[in-house]
Amino acid sequence: MRSIVLDNEAVQALTDARSRKHRVVVAHLAGVVARRRRGRVVEVVVPTAVRVEAGWDRTTPSAAAINRFGVLDHVLDSPCADLAARIQRATSTGVADAHIGATVRSLSSSEIVVLTSDPTDIAAVCSPSPVRIVNL
């Protein structure tokens, strides 16, 4: 199974068609749709702290475009919050990035891809988990 994890910049690019990064992120998610049609298991995940940071409210009309991709929430529950707090303390990153790290570490996928505009911080929070980082 493959998992695609979205960071703040990826979510913002998806919600704003005027963003110069919009087409790049849409192209990645179009690839996900194509793989799903061929029967491959691919999930797109957004940590809920990232959703909050990006201002993505699924109930607003402006969210319709991003909602169509079937992006799953990865909630910041108690065990995830504990892990994110340890990651944040160790890396001095923000809450959303620490939640990305905790999300990556909890996924059981054989391949994990993170779409981000901050590859240095994402590499730090995801370590030692093997991830492919796509710089937007």
Side-chain angles (χ1 to χ4, degrees), residues 23-83:
R23 288 184 183 182
V24 174
V25 179
V26 168
H28 278 282
L29 295 187
V32 168
V33 170
R35 284 183 188 93
R36 286 176 179 164
R37 286 186 183 142
R38 292 191 308 263
R40 296 181 77 189
V41 179
V42 182
E43 65 181 2
V44 181
V45 179
V46 63
T48 52
V50 169
R51 242 185 1 101
V52 171
E53 184 179 68
W56 176 14
D57 176 351
R58 290 182 185 271
T59 65
T60 62
S62 64
I66 192 171
N67 287 340
R68 73 173 191 226
F69 288 109
V71 179
L72 305 171
D73 282 336
H74 189 274
V75 298
L76 189 60
D77 60 9
S78 186
C80 186
D82 291 339
L83 178 54

Side-chain angles (χ1 to χ4, degrees), residues 2-31:
R2 172 187 257 189
S3 295
I4 311 289
V5 180
L6 306 178
D7 86 341
N8 178 22
E9 189 76 21
V11 171
Q12 288 182 353
L14 275 174
T15 59
D16 181 6
R18 297 166 299 172
S19 166
R20 64 182 178 81
K21 298 175 183 180
H22 179 77
R23 288 184 183 182
V24 174
V25 179
V26 168
H28 278 282
L29 295 187

Side-chain angles (χ1 to χ4, degrees), residues 81-101:
D82 291 339
L83 178 54
R86 288 192 299 274
I87 291 169
Q88 184 184 33
R89 192 169 40 253
T91 61
S92 299
T93 56
V95 172
D97 285 352
H99 190 188
I100 289 171

Side-chain angles (χ1 to χ4, degrees), residues 17 112 132:
I112 300 171
R132 190 173 117 226

